[in-house]
Amino acid sequence: MIDARDLTKRYGATLAVDRLSFTVRPGAVTGFLGPNGSGKSTTMRMVMGLDAPDGGQARIGGRPYQQARWPLREAGALLEARAFHPGRTGRSHLRALAAANAVPRSRVEEVLGMVGLESAADRRAGTYSLGMAQRLGIAAALIGDPAVLLFDEPVNGLDPEGVRWIRQLMRRLAAEGRTVFMSSHLISEMAQTADRLIVIGAGRLLADTTVAELSARAGGNLEDAFFALTADTAQYRAATEGGF
Amino acid sequence: MTATALQQTRAAERPGYRLRHAARMEWIKLRSLRSTTWILAAGLVVTIALGTVAGLNTSDPKGDVTSNVLSGVIFGQLLLGVLGVLVMSSEYSSGTIRATLAAIPRRPLVLAGKAVVFGTVALVAGEVATFGSFLAGTAALRSSVPQPSLSDPAVLRAVVLTGAYLALIALIGLGIGAIVRHSAAAVTTLVGGLFVLPLVIGAGSHTVGQFMPELIVGNSLAAVRPVKDFGMSPWLELGIVALYAVVLLGVGRALLVRRDA
């Protein structure tokens, strides 16, 4: 379970995340939707303890991530496409992380198998395609067999096969009873993958609901419902819709 | 709440990972990069080769032969210092830092793990470099120059302390990497501090030079005969360099804790 209470982050004069509160429950895929720059990544980074909030608190399994006993066994995150050294092999990257949390070495082989990277595991990660890099990032997130998983834009730049693979993986992880929190700006992807939705705009909570309920607001069209919801907060939409 | 329950709560709040876990992670990271091997090898080769050349060129039988054959560390220190910078800054340039901190959210442990592992590796490399320089450099001496011997305590002290100096420069690099985070800017800072600052400040006055690492190593640590204006004991001079490393790592630690990753 992820619990955010009044989470706030300021960058200079800009309020990136504004008293954001929400709960992400286990056993479901919860989508995190919002226009670009709405604070999704910042929120996820605060949940993972990478960025310090200016106010409020985020908890994973009841306590801040920094206080986790074995952090990688509590939560795993894919926050950017490439969070590994290009000169290191995929296997070494995973072994280093496993060693940090006393995760047995056999788990490295297990997650390599889960993401289908066995044959490329001894190649330097800098030579990986985007899809392979994404798979290594997911393997890293899964290394501690955590109950909570965060994925920031996991399907970005993937080919249709990769997108489908990620979708099925998310569903499976949620079916195993894990908390799966996934951001995307692809509404159609959310419609197919997520059960619940947390929608934010300009750092504020706009909706915390189910996919079915939100689409019902616009006669079954999730995209229309999303645009109606975020109309006041999107920074760049006026130019693209009104212009040209 | 019963005492047992209280104990369990406390146990759950204490992190399970320790310095040894952080160190194990850093050890795997360090040896899984080819650049580590290459930079260390280059540092050894350059230091020993220059020491050998210095031995060949030594003609004054009354000069400080030990100091001459150890002069390669002036360049060797640059490679070890740069490697120290990279141990930290490459985490930021590659994005690995996010994975590292997800595994070890107590950030001081991350830097401590790096300092222990990389410091040890650098100490071994430093001693190999100085003992190698001494053996190769003295073997290259012409017959008119008297051979210094490691059984002379002052000579042994010079070789050992100069090797330790290299490890401290490596840690100084690590500290600068933690403070500056960008590889190029951090390397520039390191080179500026090591080579340029002594030229600007230390050239005129040896009194200030006693506090400049590059001048400390040449005039005190590696020297068997006392050099004018370097009146402090070599051990104290090494302590000054160690103090720089401690201060830089301390600042780096504070910034690592405070800044967003």
Side-chain angles (χ1 to χ4, degrees), chain B residues 213-239:
Chain B
E214 193 208 3
L215 299 176
I216 288 174
V217 69
N219 293 302
S220 173
L221 303 182
V224 172
R225 299 184 192 164
V227 173
K228 188 178 161 291
D229 290 328
F230 280 79
M232 282 190 263
S233 98
W235 292 94
L236 191 57
E237 289 276 27
L238 188 74

Side-chain angles (χ1 to χ4, degrees), chain A residues 9 11 45 48-53 63 65-72 75 77 79-80 82-89 91-93 95-97 99-102 105 124 140, chain B residues 9 11-18 20-22 24-26 28-35 90-91 94-107 258-261:
Chain A
K9 183 73 181 179
Y11 292 112
R45 294 162 57 79
M48 288 301 290
L50 294 170
D51 288 6
R63 63 184 156 189
Y65 186 67
Q66 294 96 315
Q67 289 173 18
R69 194 163 152 68
W70 296 104
L72 295 180
L79 295 186
E80 56 206 299
R82 292 178 191 271
F84 46 76
H85 196 292
R88 198 172 279 129
T89 67
R91 181 175 272 121
S92 295
H93 177 68
R95 275 197 184 158
L97 295 176
N101 276 207
R105 219 186 229 206
R124 286 184 293 150
Chain B
T9 316
E13 278 164 4
R14 222 184 305 125
Y17 55 92
R18 299 272 187 276
R20 67 170 189 277
H21 297 103
R24 213 168 289 152
M25 169 168 70
E26 292 306 329
I28 296 173
K29 284 200 281 195
L30 192 63
R31 71 197 161 104
S32 60
L33 286 180
R34 286 183 201 171
S35 52
S90 75
E91 293 245 349
S94 66
T96 316
I97 189 71
R98 260 75 74 183
T100 299
L101 294 180
I104 310 271
R106 307 223 166 185
R107 299 181 181 187
R258 267 183 58 173
R259 289 192 292 213
D260 289 341

Side-chain angles (χ1 to χ4, degrees), chain A residues 31-32 34 37 40 63 66 69 93-94 107-109 111 122 142 148 161-162 172 179 188 216 225 234 241:
Chain A
F32 197 20
K40 301 189 296 289
R63 63 184 156 189
Q66 294 96 315
R69 194 163 152 68
H93 177 68
L94 295 173
R107 178 67 183 167
V108 171
E109 305 310 314
V111 293
D122 289 321
L142 293 173
V148 174
E161 198 204 327
R172 197 172 74 232
T179 304
S188 56
E241 278 185 356

Side-chain angles (χ1 to χ4, degrees), chain A residues 101-140:
Chain A
N101 276 207
V103 171
R105 219 186 229 206
S106 56
R107 178 67 183 167
V108 171
E109 305 310 314
E110 223 171 280
V111 293
L112 280 169
M114 283 171 73
V115 302
L117 262 188
E118 303 104 319
S119 60
D122 289 321
R123 266 170 55 190
R124 286 184 293 150
T127 67
Y128 288 3
S129 67
L130 180 61
M132 292 161 82
Q134 209 80 325
R135 282 166 191 260
L136 178 57
I138 289 169

